[in-house]
Amino acid sequence: MSWQAYVNDHLMCDVGDGNTLTAAAIIGHDGSVWAQSASFPQLKAEEVSGIMNDFAEPGSLAPTGLFLAGTKYMVIQGEPGAAIRGKKGSAGATIKRTGQALIIGTYDEPLTASQCNMVVERLGDYLIDQGL
């Protein structure tokens, strides 16, 4: 399966009542985009390095916030070293780290944080099980 198929079929899938994530991507730890939805914004290099740093040193993003393409999210509960979750009003983001990639999903109402977490982290866990 291609990386784009993972984004199209597993991240941008219907999560109930015809709702989908607002955007999703799979990017390498170096920030290279492997696949993305048409709506996914261009991340800045310093944003990717900040995310990678938070996985290495959990909690490092909490004081400054999580930035994705210039949008600031307040860092909320996550799994140290495995998942970062952010919230901005009714919207939010989930990032799951695998051995080689970052799985990123963003959402807005009527989707909930738990629905986004489920979609992103389920694919991340699958890819980890596949050695990726």
Side-chain angles (χ1 to χ4, degrees), residues 59-73:
S60 65
L61 283 178
T64 59
L66 165 67
F67 285 86
L68 297 175
T71 300
K72 181 179 180 178
Y73 296 87

Side-chain angles (χ1 to χ4, degrees), residues 2-73:
S2 74
W3 292 114
Q4 192 61 51
Y6 281 115
V7 170
N8 297 345
D9 301 342
H10 297 282
L11 294 175
M12 297 303 291
C13 61
D14 182 338
V15 293
D17 297 326
N19 297 310
T20 66
L21 298 178
T22 55
I26 301 173
I27 66 171
H29 289 176
D30 62 357
S32 61
V33 176
W34 295 5
Q36 65 184 19
S37 64
S39 54
F40 194 79
Q42 179 67 44
L43 299 182
K44 299 177 179 125
E46 61 269 18
E47 294 170 338
V48 176
S49 63
I51 291 165
M52 290 305 297
N53 188 52
D54 193 79
F55 282 122
E57 299 172 30
S60 65
L61 283 178
T64 59
L66 165 67
F67 285 86
L68 297 175
T71 300
K72 181 179 180 178
Y73 296 87

